[in-house]
């Protein structure tokens, strides 16, 4: 199943979102505009705005402001990527130079701040506090997740519980908010909103676990960045934590984390990345991802039968099997 075929009936809305993202990132500052458009042109799956659109189908999806909500969610995600790349000193994302690599850290940080500020402007026309409060909470949790990741860099004092709590904040809650806000903006029932929120949350957890698996199993060309870059940047993800049952892997990571600038340990960590890729930890991580995926599919079983429900199921299955 190709993702595009499942979404063909909302293709015009998706095109409108792409156009509006480009429009709202226009500014009198040529540097920030060029940097913003550079980030935009790096592409992405746009799953957050797609989830907003599909979730709105369970209410009154004729309201024009739904597109604004979809754009806002993607802008928040884009801003977080720019800040992530600065923190991780990343030079490549999706096969293209990051904003900080192409320009500098200051330009990247201000570009991220600008993109985020445009989100707030998009949502000003909305009446009431519910949509704003839900989005503010998601951003609040996202920031905590980012801070926790910075705190835990090159630290072995982590476990699977720490990991799941972090990806909940960094990834799952923003996707859950995407599915929920589409329904909120379309005035869908409270029951539908809650099922969509939980669907998005479980999808987000599964999505991030697979992302972290692919960081070991995909090629550099597929990833658009070096294989094992999370581990090399000092971030422990699920495959590594599960692979720590092999003490040789644990000791190698420990030596690297204690002195990541040492060329000898850097060479060793590349061998360790291969060992993790070939370990049982990869299949164990996939099993955990599938459990979250099953929970997501269970949540949408309660939704009214319509085309959007089928699309949500197709997307869940697609994301669960993706290779890039």
């Amino acid at each position: 199943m190709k993702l595009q075929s499942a979404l063909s009936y909302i293709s015009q809305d998706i095109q409108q979102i792409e156009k509006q993202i480009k429009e709202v990132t226009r500014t009198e500052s040529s540097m920030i505009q060029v940097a913003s458009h550079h980030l935009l042109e790096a592409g992405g799956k746009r799953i957050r705005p797609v989830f907003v659109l599909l979730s709105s189908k369970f209410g009154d999806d004729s309201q024009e402001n739904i597109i604004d909500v979809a754009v806002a969610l993607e802008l928040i995600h884009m801003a977080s990527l720019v800040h992530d790349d600065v923190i991780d000193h990343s030079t490549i994302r999706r096969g293209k130079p990051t904003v900080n690599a192409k320009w500098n850290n200051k330009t990247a940080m201000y570009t991220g701040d600008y993109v985020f500020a445009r989100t707030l402007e998009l949502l000003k026309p909305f009446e009431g506090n519910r949509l704003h409060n839900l989005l503010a909470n998601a951003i609040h949790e996202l920031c905590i997740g980012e801070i926790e990741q910075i705190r835990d860099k090159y630290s072995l004092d982590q476990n699977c519980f720490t990991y799941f709590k972090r990806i909940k904040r960094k990834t799952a809650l923003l996707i859950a908010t995407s599915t929920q806000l589409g329904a909120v903006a379309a005035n869908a029932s409270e029951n539908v909103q809650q099922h969509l929120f939980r669907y998005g949350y479980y999808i987000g957890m599964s999505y991030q676990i697979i992302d972290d698996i692919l960081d070991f199993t995909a090629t550099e060309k597929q990833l658009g960045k070096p294989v094992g870059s999370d581990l090399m940047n000092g971030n422990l993800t699920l495959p590594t934590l599960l692979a720590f049952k092999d003490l040789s892997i644990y000791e190698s990571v420990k030596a690297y984390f204690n002195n990541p600038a040492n060329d000898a340990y850097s060479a060793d960590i590349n061998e360790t990345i291969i060992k993790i890729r070939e370990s049982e930890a990869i299949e164990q991580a996939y099993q955990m991802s599938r459990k979250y995926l099953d929970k997501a599919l269970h949540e949408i079983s309660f939704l009214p039968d319509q085309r959007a429900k089928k699309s949500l199921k197709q997307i869940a299955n697609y994301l669960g099997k993706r290779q890039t």
Side-chain angles (χ1 to χ4, degrees):
M1 189 276 298
K2 296 292 184 181
L3 190 57
Q4 292 85 350
S5 64
L7 305 175
S8 58
Y9 64 104
I10 58 170
S11 60
Q12 288 187 341
D13 288 334
I14 295 173
Q15 290 171 13
Q16 187 177 345
I17 288 169
E18 288 291 332
K19 181 180 179 181
Q20 188 162 334
I21 290 174
K22 196 160 187 175
E23 285 296 323
V24 299
T25 51
R26 292 187 187 279
T27 172
E28 62 273 14
S29 169
S30 59
M31 175 67 77
I32 292 180
Q33 180 171 309
V34 171
S36 298
H37 288 180
H38 173 77
L39 177 65
L40 173 61
E41 288 162 7
K45 295 181 177 64
R46 304 287 190 249
I47 61 170
R48 292 155 192 83
V50 163
F51 280 143
V52 171
L53 292 176
L54 291 176
S55 298
S56 72
K57 301 297 181 184
F58 296 94
D60 178 12
D61 67 336
S62 64
Q63 300 189 53
E64 293 181 3
N65 56 19
I66 289 168
I67 295 293
D68 289 336
V69 175
V71 171
L73 265 297
E74 187 64 10
L75 291 180
I76 292 171
H77 174 60
M78 288 170 60
S80 72
L81 294 183
V82 179
H83 291 155
D84 261 355
D85 288 337
V86 172
I87 293 165
D88 291 335
H89 307 291
S90 299
T91 58
I92 298 291
R93 178 175 289 279
R94 298 172 185 145
K96 294 187 176 183
T98 56
V99 175
N100 50 295
K102 191 172 176 66
W103 287 276
N104 52 58
N105 284 347
K106 286 185 178 179
T107 299
M109 294 303 291
Y110 282 120
T111 298
D113 291 346
Y114 171 76
V115 170
F116 178 72
R118 294 296 283 131
T119 298
L120 302 180
E121 291 183 26
L122 275 174
L123 299 179
K124 278 195 302 186
F126 284 85
E127 296 181 0
N129 295 323
R130 183 144 192 262
L131 187 144
H132 297 85
N133 289 341
L134 290 171
L135 194 56
N137 180 68
I139 296 169
H140 169 84
E141 293 292 335
L142 175 63
C143 291
I144 291 177
E146 296 286 2
I147 292 295
E148 288 176 341
Q149 181 162 299
I150 295 170
R151 178 199 65 193
D152 292 337
K153 264 182 176 293
Y154 299 106
S155 170
L156 290 171
D157 187 22
Q158 300 178 61
N159 52 37
C160 289
F161 175 78
T162 311
Y163 167 80
F164 286 128
K165 186 170 70 171
R166 184 171 69 242
I167 68 168
K168 168 189 173 182
R169 285 172 162 160
K170 276 179 56 68
T171 303
L173 284 178
L174 191 58
I175 292 178
T177 302
S178 302
T179 50
Q180 183 181 28
L181 289 189
V184 171
N187 296 316
S189 72
E190 183 66 32
N191 184 54
V192 164
Q193 292 176 26
Q194 290 306 311
H195 283 302
L196 285 167
F197 175 84
R198 288 191 289 269
Y199 164 84
Y201 169 74
Y202 293 133
I203 283 290
M205 294 294 285
S206 174
Y207 182 88
Q208 186 59 57
I209 292 170
I210 291 176
D211 246 20
D212 294 337
I213 293 170
L214 293 175
D215 192 52
F216 290 97
T217 61
T219 65
E220 183 169 341
K221 183 178 180 180
Q222 290 172 319
L223 292 170
K225 61 180 181 176
V227 176
S229 59
D230 284 330
L231 185 56
M232 289 189 286
N233 285 326
N235 299 318
L236 288 182
T237 58
L238 187 59
T240 303
L241 290 166
L242 294 173
F244 275 169
K245 293 176 184 177
D246 182 332
L247 289 181
S248 68
I249 291 177
Y250 177 83
E251 291 299 331
S252 173
V253 173
K254 180 180 179 181
Y256 175 72
F257 277 16
N258 285 338
N259 196 354
N262 188 303
D263 290 341
Y265 294 136
S266 295
D268 287 344
I269 206 66
N270 287 321
E271 293 298 319
T272 301
I273 288 167
I274 295 172
K275 289 180 71 174
I276 294 172
R277 182 172 67 225
E278 296 174 348
S279 74
E280 294 179 353
I282 297 299
E283 178 53 34
Q284 291 169 356
Y286 268 122
Q287 289 174 7
M288 292 185 181
S289 172
R290 285 192 285 268
K291 287 181 180 179
Y292 280 113
L293 194 63
D294 288 342
K295 289 182 178 181
L297 293 171
H298 178 68
E299 287 298 329
I300 58 173
S301 69
F302 297 102
L303 297 176
D305 288 327
Q306 56 168 282
R307 193 170 187 178
K309 177 178 179 177
K310 182 179 179 181
S311 294
L312 290 174
K313 183 177 181 179
Q314 289 174 312
I315 291 172
N317 288 323
Y318 170 83
L319 294 176
K321 296 174 182 176
R322 68 195 174 93
Q323 298 299 311
T324 59

